[in-house]
Amino acid sequence: MKNICWVKVRKIALLVAADWLALLLSLFITRVLLTSSIRFSTDELPALLATSAASLAVFAVLGYYKMSLQNAGFEEMLRLCFGTLIATPLCILINVVLDGGYGVREVIVTFLILFNFTCLTRYAYRFSRAWRYRFKGRSRRTPVMVVGAGDAGTMIVREIKASDKIKLLPVCIIDDDPQKLHTNICGVPVVGNRNTIEQMVQKHGIEQIFIAIPSARKADISAICEICARTRCRVQILPGVYQMLSGTAVTNYMRDININDLLGREPITINTREVFAYIEGKHILVTGGGGSIGSELCRQIAAHNPASLTIFDIYENNAYDIEMELRRTYPYLTLRVLIGSVRDERRVADVFAQVAPHVVFHAAAHKHVPLMENSPAEAVKNNVFGTYNVAKAASDFGVERFVMISTDKAVNPTNVMGATKRICEMIVQNFAAQSKTTDYVAVRFGNVLGSNGSVIPLFKRQISEGGPVTVTHKDIIRYFMTIPEAVSLVLQAGAYAADGEVFVLDMGEPVKIVTLAENLIRLSGYIPYKDIDITFTGLRPGEKLFEELLLDEEGMRKTPNKKIFIGNPVPVDNETLMLALADMREAAAQNDVGAILAKIKDLVPTYRADTRTVAGARPKKE
């Protein structure tokens, strides 16, 4: 700390000395220019000293000695100019009062010269750095293209050129605005629009691309990313303008392109007032709170000022991780982490008695399709009866709202996981019809990028290992959304909960998995099928070529959020459901796969079992 203070004092002392010498030199030059004399009389000494002291005082007040010499720019130059304008009339007055021998004309000329000297001292470092950048080490710098000639792109170019530590060389700029074509930004030419990216990469030997258009629409970002992905350049993107306001180097915030940038869909927005209305000041319980969806639910709920937040999960490691994160981020949050299984009806009841929640988000479930094909009894125990236990406790303890996380795989399911989630929806609808105190709702959405089991981490790992990337089928398509979007939908749907509805999201156009894999390979700097191969392994157990979001009989109703729709509840006969669940519980306890599948088929007529897997599961014991 002492060393830092000493460096600052030394810097200020040097600048003060430089300004004082610059003032004396300016006075001397003015005398020579205007009078052809180099003599000063002793009578002028008081005026000279007073003029020097007044000038330095003005400079100090205006912050001349707090300027960053490394980053001096236009604002610093304005401050130097303003200081000169203030000091000039002050020094004229001093010379008049003390009869210093300098008239108005001499003082004005003196300070015009002084302004140039002060600029020279403040900008000498930047001039020398720019000189070194322009004429030294160019061959050792990586050629860079910047996409975007706006403020963000300008900041990136300026920062790269201003730093000796950034071993990059901005060669050209791309922008779709025709008025910017053939202009220069910080000496770097704007050479074309997005359609010329590949051409300019080859022409200028570009090795890295910065996308610097943080205010652009998602569709434009997606289109530009796809073009950049066809080059073999490393591509990075500046996420948002807000990150540039921190004062930290802009290039620190550049991140690699990820597959989210290629979805081409605007992110989901929710009405935060509606969410606040039923979250703020309430006791909230999240089952499965340590999972990918559950943990994000906890993060967003914590930001809405609940009276308390309780995480209930069977897996202690994930629960501990999100607990530590929330305690760091929200130190005043009343937070509980309870370990247990939703399968355990007594434990669930104990948790509800302890927490007395107003709102329950039920995210605990087995979700991996192939694994549940191999263990259908476990899917039934955890998904079906776990949901039943939590939904029943919500009714018994007078919970205000119950929100269950469902999936698009529940629609016309071809796998056990999807079928059990459809039964979970039916359980929710049944409790909604029976309960007089609790509003029930299920929220159905597609694949979540970055969640446990997502294809993206698998693809990235396969690429890092040199391939091949495995895709189940060349025609398979999926709807995708991000984890924060999924959770936003869940929170918004909770505000609309009333009659056991199933809420679904308008997720835009589905994405072909093979296209996603090809783009991810390109973004990693490789050529698909040449550097990294893609192999097709065949549909996995229970997997469909495409997923659906609504049953035919559910129809579609709008909500105040144009991205969220309601599927009308399908009537569920309570007696039939209870009898089927009782039989299914017994079959699951005995691991009787045939009986389990038969009961699933009774409850979910649209279920079509995958005969490759469950039919060959453990046979019924005699």
Side-chain angles (χ1 to χ4, degrees):
M1 183 64 69
K2 290 182 178 179
N3 291 337
I4 294 174
C5 292
W6 169 243
V7 169
K8 289 183 177 180
V9 169
R10 185 173 62 180
K11 170 193 168 185
I12 293 172
L14 289 173
L15 286 175
V16 170
D19 285 346
W20 184 65
L21 290 174
L23 178 60
L24 294 181
L25 185 58
S26 299
L27 290 168
F28 177 79
I29 293 174
T30 301
R31 178 64 59 88
V32 171
L33 291 175
L34 299 183
T35 67
S36 300
S37 172
I38 60 173
R39 295 183 179 181
F40 289 87
S41 65
T42 55
D43 294 338
E44 296 174 329
L45 185 59
L48 287 174
L49 294 176
T51 298
S52 301
S55 301
L56 295 176
V58 169
F59 295 169
V61 170
L62 293 178
Y64 273 35
Y65 307 114
K66 295 181 180 179
M67 292 182 184
S68 170
L69 301 184
Q70 295 181 352
N71 301 303
F74 184 69
E75 289 190 11
E76 285 73 19
M77 182 171 289
L78 288 179
R79 192 182 303 176
L80 295 174
C81 182
F82 185 65
T84 303
L85 293 176
I86 295 295
T88 299
L90 179 61
C91 291
I92 290 173
L93 180 62
I94 291 173
N95 272 273
V96 170
V97 172
L98 299 179
D99 193 20
Y102 271 70
V104 172
R105 185 180 65 166
E106 287 81 2
V107 173
I108 292 175
V109 173
T110 297
F111 277 90
L112 287 176
I113 298 172
L114 178 61
F115 171 72
N116 288 279
F117 279 133
T118 54
C119 286
L120 181 62
T121 56
R122 268 66 180 181
Y123 289 89
Y125 180 81
R126 289 200 62 181
F127 290 154
S128 64
R129 190 169 57 185
W131 179 269
R132 291 196 305 272
Y133 178 87
R134 187 171 184 84
F135 295 103
K136 292 185 178 181
R138 288 176 62 94
S139 61
R140 296 192 299 270
R141 295 176 181 267
T142 301
V144 170
M145 169 189 288
V146 177
V147 180
D151 293 337
T154 301
M155 292 176 69
I156 289 174
V157 172
R158 183 181 294 122
E159 185 173 301
I160 292 174
K161 299 187 75 170
S163 175
D164 290 329
K165 298 180 180 179
I166 302 177
K167 301 303 181 182
L168 302 173
L169 180 67
V171 174
C172 62
I173 299 174
I174 297 293
D175 198 284
D176 285 342
D177 186 352
Q179 295 183 357
K180 295 179 180 178
L181 185 63
H182 305 310
T183 61
N184 284 278
I185 295 178
C186 301
V188 180
V190 179
V191 295
N193 57 29
R194 71 178 72 174
N195 297 321
T196 66
I197 288 177
E198 293 179 85
Q199 174 188 347
M200 293 302 165
V201 164
Q202 293 184 352
K203 179 178 179 180
H204 296 285
I206 302 298
E207 297 179 18
Q208 190 165 347
I209 300 175
F210 285 162
I211 299 177
I213 40 178
S215 60
R217 295 183 304 115
K218 189 75 174 178
D220 289 331
I221 293 291
S222 174
I224 292 171
C225 288
E226 287 195 25
I227 295 172
C228 293
R230 293 198 292 266
T231 71
R232 299 196 65 175
C233 300
R234 182 188 179 191
V235 184
Q236 290 186 293
I237 190 169
L238 187 66
V241 174
Y242 68 93
Q243 291 177 310
M244 290 185 283
L245 302 179
S246 64
T248 310
V250 179
T251 51
N252 290 348
Y253 289 110
M254 300 301 296
R255 62 165 173 81
D256 289 340
I257 291 288
N258 58 50
I259 208 65
N260 297 12
D261 299 310
L262 297 174
L263 290 183
R265 175 172 52 77
E266 295 298 326
I268 301 300
T269 58
I270 65 170
N271 187 329
T272 55
R273 290 184 180 179
E274 291 179 337
V275 175
F276 266 115
Y278 81 95
I279 294 292
E280 188 174 16
K282 300 296 181 66
H283 298 290
I284 313 298
L285 170 65
V286 180
T287 70
S292 51
I293 296 295
S295 60
E296 180 63 22
L297 266 171
C298 292
R299 293 183 189 97
Q300 294 195 25
I301 290 168
H304 285 82
N305 301 322
S308 71
L309 172 60
T310 301
I311 299 171
F312 183 55
D313 203 300
I314 187 63
Y315 187 44
E316 62 189 69
N317 292 348
N318 284 351
Y320 176 78
D321 289 342
I322 187 61
E323 178 189 16
M324 292 298 100
E325 177 186 334
L326 292 178
R327 292 197 186 282
R328 288 193 304 270
T329 309
Y330 304 98
Y332 301 107
L333 173 67
T334 301
L335 178 64
R336 302 184 189 90
V337 176
L338 303 177
I339 300 301
S341 173
V342 293
R343 298 183 183 195
D344 188 339
E345 184 177 5
R346 180 172 295 180
R347 175 56 173 159
V348 170
D350 289 342
V351 169
F352 273 74
Q354 178 181 347
V355 174
H358 296 101
V359 183
V360 174
F361 292 93
H362 178 48
H366 286 324
K367 306 179 183 71
H368 288 261
V369 169
L371 295 182
M372 293 306 98
E373 290 296 282
N374 293 329
S375 304
E378 298 307 304
V380 168
K381 293 174 187 176
N382 200 68
N383 294 359
V384 174
F385 293 105
T387 297
Y388 182 87
N389 292 337
V390 179
K392 182 176 183 298
S395 179
D396 292 343
F397 286 87
V399 169
E400 295 176 6
R401 298 171 193 263
F402 175 93
V403 184
M404 187 200 82
I405 310 301
S406 189
T407 171
D408 57 357
K409 294 176 176 61
V411 181
N412 301 322
T414 59
N415 53 72
V416 170
M417 191 282 285
T420 58
K421 294 300 281 185
R422 176 58 192 144
I423 296 172
C424 292
E425 293 177 354
M426 296 166 67
I427 291 172
V428 168
Q429 291 172 342
N430 186 61
F431 273 103
Q434 304 296 322
S435 178
K436 297 180 180 179
T437 58
T438 306
D439 291 325
Y440 287 84
V441 66
V443 185
R444 187 188 291 165
F445 46 76
N447 294 267
V448 180
L449 289 172
S451 66
N452 297 329
S454 169
V455 296
I456 305 303
L458 172 64
F459 287 171
K460 287 184 175 180
R461 184 173 68 252
Q462 291 173 335
I463 292 170
S464 68
E465 293 171 353
V469 171
T470 56
V471 177
T472 57
H473 195 282
K474 62 184 179 66
D475 295 323
I476 193 168
I477 60 174
R478 288 292 182 267
Y479 293 97
F480 282 100
M481 64 192 311
T482 65
I483 291 177
E485 283 182 319
V487 170
S488 295
L489 169 65
V490 172
L491 292 174
Q492 184 80 74
Y496 300 150
D499 300 314
E501 304 100 332
V502 175
F503 286 83
V504 297
L505 168 67
D506 177 9
M507 300 178 66
E509 294 298 319
V511 178
K512 288 190 70 171
I513 301 299
V514 66
T515 302
L516 186 147
E518 290 169 352
N519 285 330
L520 197 58
I521 291 171
R522 292 188 185 101
L523 291 173
S524 302
Y526 302 105
I527 299 176
Y529 308 105
K530 182 178 180 181
D531 300 326
I532 301 289
D533 196 16
I534 297 177
T535 60
F536 299 98
T537 59
L539 292 176
R540 297 181 303 169
E543 191 173 39
K544 293 194 291 186
L545 280 178
F546 61 93
E547 302 291 357
E548 304 157 273
L549 293 173
L550 279 175
L551 295 168
D552 292 337
E553 62 267 30
E554 287 179 319
M556 185 84 80
R557 289 190 286 126
K558 294 182 178 180
T559 70
N561 188 318
K562 64 181 181 179
K563 291 290 187 178
I564 303 174
F565 296 88
I566 300 175
N568 296 318
V570 178
V572 178
D573 181 74
N574 179 60
E575 184 177 354
T576 302
L577 178 63
M578 291 300 103
L579 289 174
L581 289 179
D583 291 341
M584 188 177 291
R585 187 188 295 273
E586 179 64 23
Q590 298 296 323
N591 197 22
D592 187 341
V593 174
I596 290 173
L597 298 182
K599 289 303 172 184
I600 289 178
K601 180 64 177 176
D602 288 343
L603 285 175
V604 187
T606 57
Y607 170 55
R608 297 289 182 270
D610 189 329
T611 56
R612 296 174 302 164
T613 53
V614 291
R618 180 180 174 182
K620 178 180 177 179
K621 292 183 177 180
E622 297 295 336

